[in-house]
């Protein structure tokens, strides 16, 4: 697979490349500019050639593939009956909080946060509570457990939406951190809704631990979402997986979703199956390429973009850039869009304290990385 290959995405119903003017290099929404695995494309061709697209259902083989993969990659024992499918994880966690929270209750999440975490409680008429991840001197993001526990008690929190690996900081939470979070949630009867969409894109020696795999007690208190969408660049097909090991929670979630949240379409199921069953080698190569992109950006931040700081992400293809030392009089998102013609994600959408940040999607070709860095450097030089 040639990850340097440039593919024109503008005429492909693509949100990333159509949002801004044509001269803007878009590095925002979290998909990549890479062609998905050949196995997925060929499975889709075969399915399209079948020519009948009546109502679908997840095939048993897909469940088996998911179960085997969870064991193989994450040493997590899951039964086929504990798996279900939704067309997206955002849909999934919105449905979950509506299923399990009552009016007056709150949903907690860590900030900086993937923006739909911030929107979810508001649109469900629940209260959102923000637990800020804190930064050490060296930029490392850590959890303030005391504050987290205090907030669960004082804010009448019913559910915790966890993002692991974390978007946008790129943290992969450790076993110790996850255990502490899970114990606090168990102590206060707070349901864990774990968004693990980024779990397959890991760097260096980082290992993903599904929080539900920690113990049977945690499993019984957790709903986990995963997907092939980020991993294999098939987000536009809409197939996501949920794992619920507590039959009571599973029944309630089914009941809520019935008639409201449909199953992924037949092409989505075909692609998900091919990706999970045959995509390992492609994924290995992609992660290698992404890690080199991450290291390229790390170098560039030192040599070409002095004044912008980050903590190298441990996972995801997203860089969370702290521009506060640049002394800009406007949000860096606005500055880089206008002056560099680079379209990043705006810090403020990730939380109120994030004005001086931008999110940089490095899931693109090395040539685009270089171009973006050059443009940003020139814009800063002209300040
Ligand atoms: C943490 C997180 N959750 C969910 C999503 C989107 O999931 P879906 O497309 O399955 O709704 C994203 C996409 O960027 C994400 O970063």
């Amino acid at each position: 697979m040639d990850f340097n290959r440039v593919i024109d995405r503008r005429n492909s119903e693509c949100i990333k490349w159509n949002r801004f003017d044509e001269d803007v290099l878009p590095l925002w929404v979290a998909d990549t500019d890479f062609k998905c695995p050949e196995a997925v494309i060929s499975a889709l061709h075969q399915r399209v050639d079948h020519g009948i697209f009546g109502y679908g259902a997840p095939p048993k083989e897909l469940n088996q593939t998911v179960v085997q993969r969870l064991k193989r990659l994450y040493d997590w024992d899951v039964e086929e009956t504990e798996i279900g499918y939704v067309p997206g994880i955002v849909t999934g966690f919105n449905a979950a909080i509506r299923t399990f929270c009552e009016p007056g209750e709150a949903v907690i999440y860590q900030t900086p946060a993937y923006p739909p975490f911030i929107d979810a409680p508001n649109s469900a008429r629940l209260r959102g509570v923000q637990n800020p991840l804190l930064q050490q001197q060296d930029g490392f993001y850590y959890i303030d457990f005391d504050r987290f526990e205090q907030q669960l008690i004082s804010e009448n929190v019913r559910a915790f939406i966890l993002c692991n690996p974390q978007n946008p900081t790129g943290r992969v939470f450790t076993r110790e951190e996850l255990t502490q979070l899970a114990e606090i949630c168990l102590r206060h009867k707070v349901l864990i809704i774990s968004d693990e969409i980024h779990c397959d894109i890991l760097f260096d020696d980082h290992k993903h631990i599904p929080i539900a795999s920690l113990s049977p007690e945690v499993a019984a208190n957790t709903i986990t979402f995963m997907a092939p969408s980020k991993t294999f660049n098939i987000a536009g097909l809409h197939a996501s997986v949920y794992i619920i090991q507590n039959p009571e929670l599973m029944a309630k979630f089914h009941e809520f979703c019935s008639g409201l949240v449909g199953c992924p379409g037949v092409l989505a199921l075909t692609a998900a199956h091919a990706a999970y069953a045959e995509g390992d080698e492609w994924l290995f190569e992609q992660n290698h390429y992404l890690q080199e992109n991450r290291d390229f950006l790390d170098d560039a931040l030192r040599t070409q973009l002095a004044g912008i700081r980050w903590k190298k992400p441990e996972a995801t293809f997203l860089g969370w850039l702290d521009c506060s030392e640049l002394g800009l009089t406007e949000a860096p998102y606005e500055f880089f869009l206008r002056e560099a013609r680079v379209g990043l994600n705006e810090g403020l959408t990730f939380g109120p304290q994030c004005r001086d940040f931008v999110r940089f999607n490095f899931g693109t070709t090395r040539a685009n990385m270089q171009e973006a860095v050059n443009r940003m450097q020139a814009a800063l030089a002209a300040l």
Side-chain angles (χ1 to χ4, degrees):
M1 170 69 195
D2 179 9
F3 292 94
N4 284 314
R5 185 167 158 209
V6 177
I7 299 168
D8 182 4
R9 298 186 62 193
R10 279 211 164 86
N11 294 315
S12 63
E13 304 83 30
C14 163
I15 185 175
K16 187 185 196 177
W17 285 82
N18 288 320
R19 172 171 175 183
F20 299 110
D21 294 340
E22 280 226 5
D23 65 329
V24 172
L25 181 53
L27 302 175
W28 64 290
V29 72
D31 66 21
T32 71
D33 295 324
F34 310 139
K35 203 163 178 179
C36 73
E38 211 36 61
V40 173
I41 296 167
S42 124
L44 284 170
H45 275 304
Q46 270 188 36
R47 184 63 188 85
V48 167
D49 286 345
H50 181 261
I52 299 179
F53 305 103
Y55 293 116
K60 193 168 169 48
E61 300 78 48
L62 176 56
N63 291 339
Q64 287 164 349
T65 300
V66 171
V67 165
Q68 286 160 11
R69 190 172 191 270
L70 293 175
K71 181 66 184 168
R72 183 162 40 85
L73 297 187
Y74 307 118
D75 195 24
W76 187 16
D77 291 303
V78 168
E79 304 284 334
E80 283 178 47
T81 51
E82 295 165 344
I83 293 174
Y85 301 89
V86 280
I89 290 185
V90 172
T91 305
F93 62 67
N94 272 284
I97 62 170
R98 283 169 166 81
T99 308
F100 297 107
C101 301
E102 300 290 337
E105 291 181 331
V107 177
I108 196 166
Y109 53 84
Q110 294 163 316
T111 56
Y114 172 55
F117 283 23
I118 302 176
D119 299 337
N122 300 338
S123 60
R125 301 189 184 183
L126 300 163
R127 274 177 312 107
V129 176
Q130 305 195 338
N131 174 252
L133 290 169
L134 303 176
Q135 261 190 305
Q136 278 173 194
Q137 203 64 307
D138 66 358
F140 179 82
Y141 284 90
Y142 67 97
I143 302 167
D144 181 346
F145 292 103
D146 290 340
R147 181 154 177 202
F148 182 76
E149 182 154 24
Q150 264 317 311
Q151 288 174 307
L152 297 197
I153 299 165
S154 63
E155 300 279 0
N156 193 23
V157 171
R158 173 70 190 109
F160 167 38
I161 312 184
L162 169 67
C163 187
N164 181 40
Q166 214 264 347
N167 170 8
T169 64
R171 273 298 320 277
V172 175
F173 294 119
T174 62
R175 184 173 294 277
E176 291 68 33
E177 286 173 311
L178 293 171
T179 302
Q180 217 172 328
L181 283 172
E183 280 173 358
I184 295 171
C185 287
L186 281 174
R187 229 177 358 257
H188 299 286
K189 299 192 168 31
V190 168
L191 177 72
I192 301 170
I193 300 169
S194 190
D195 177 342
E196 304 186 8
I197 194 168
H198 294 283
C199 65
D200 297 322
I201 297 173
L202 303 169
F203 305 131
D204 310 315
D205 293 325
H206 289 286
K207 298 259 180 299
H208 174 71
I209 302 172
I211 194 165
S213 71
L214 291 176
S215 72
E217 292 73 29
V218 181
N221 187 46
T222 302
I223 296 182
T224 304
F225 291 100
M226 291 181 174
S229 52
K230 304 279 162 207
T231 313
F232 299 101
N233 207 21
I234 54 173
L237 286 169
H238 290 283
S240 306
V241 182
Y242 59 85
I243 299 110
I244 306 180
Q245 296 178 290
N246 176 334
E248 211 178 302
L249 297 185
M250 183 63 123
K252 277 195 177 152
F253 190 60
H254 270 170
E255 190 190 9
F256 180 88
C257 289
S258 166
L260 205 57
V261 180
C263 180
V266 289
L267 295 180
L269 294 169
T270 299
H273 192 199
Y276 275 158
E278 300 172 67
D280 279 2
E281 207 175 310
W282 182 95
L283 175 58
F284 179 80
E285 285 181 39
Q286 176 191 239
N287 285 357
H288 181 75
Y289 188 87
L290 288 173
Q291 183 166 315
E292 286 183 346
N293 271 3
R294 178 201 64 166
D295 294 344
F296 173 90
L297 186 54
D298 193 52
D299 263 2
L301 290 175
R302 263 178 281 116
T303 55
Q304 292 184 258
L305 299 173
I308 304 183
R309 290 177 299 142
W310 80 338
K311 182 70 186 166
K312 270 210 287 192
E314 300 163 342
T316 79
F317 44 81
L318 307 167
W320 186 233
L321 307 186
D322 179 352
C323 302
S324 53
E325 283 181 3
L326 295 177
L328 300 173
T329 52
E330 62 187 324
Y333 162 79
E334 301 286 355
F335 172 79
F336 287 119
L337 181 58
R338 192 184 61 247
E339 299 299 328
R341 309 306 279 159
V342 174
L344 304 162
N345 280 93
E346 187 173 6
L348 264 184
T349 59
F350 294 78
Q353 72 281 50
C354 306
R355 178 193 171 275
D356 292 331
F357 287 77
V358 282
R359 195 186 70 173
F360 184 121
N361 175 347
F362 58 85
T364 190
T365 61
R366 198 73 37 81
N368 278 345
M369 298 282 294
Q370 184 70 70
E371 176 67 20
V373 166
N374 290 347
R375 290 187 191 191
M376 290 166 75
Q377 182 184 25
L380 289 173
L383 261 179

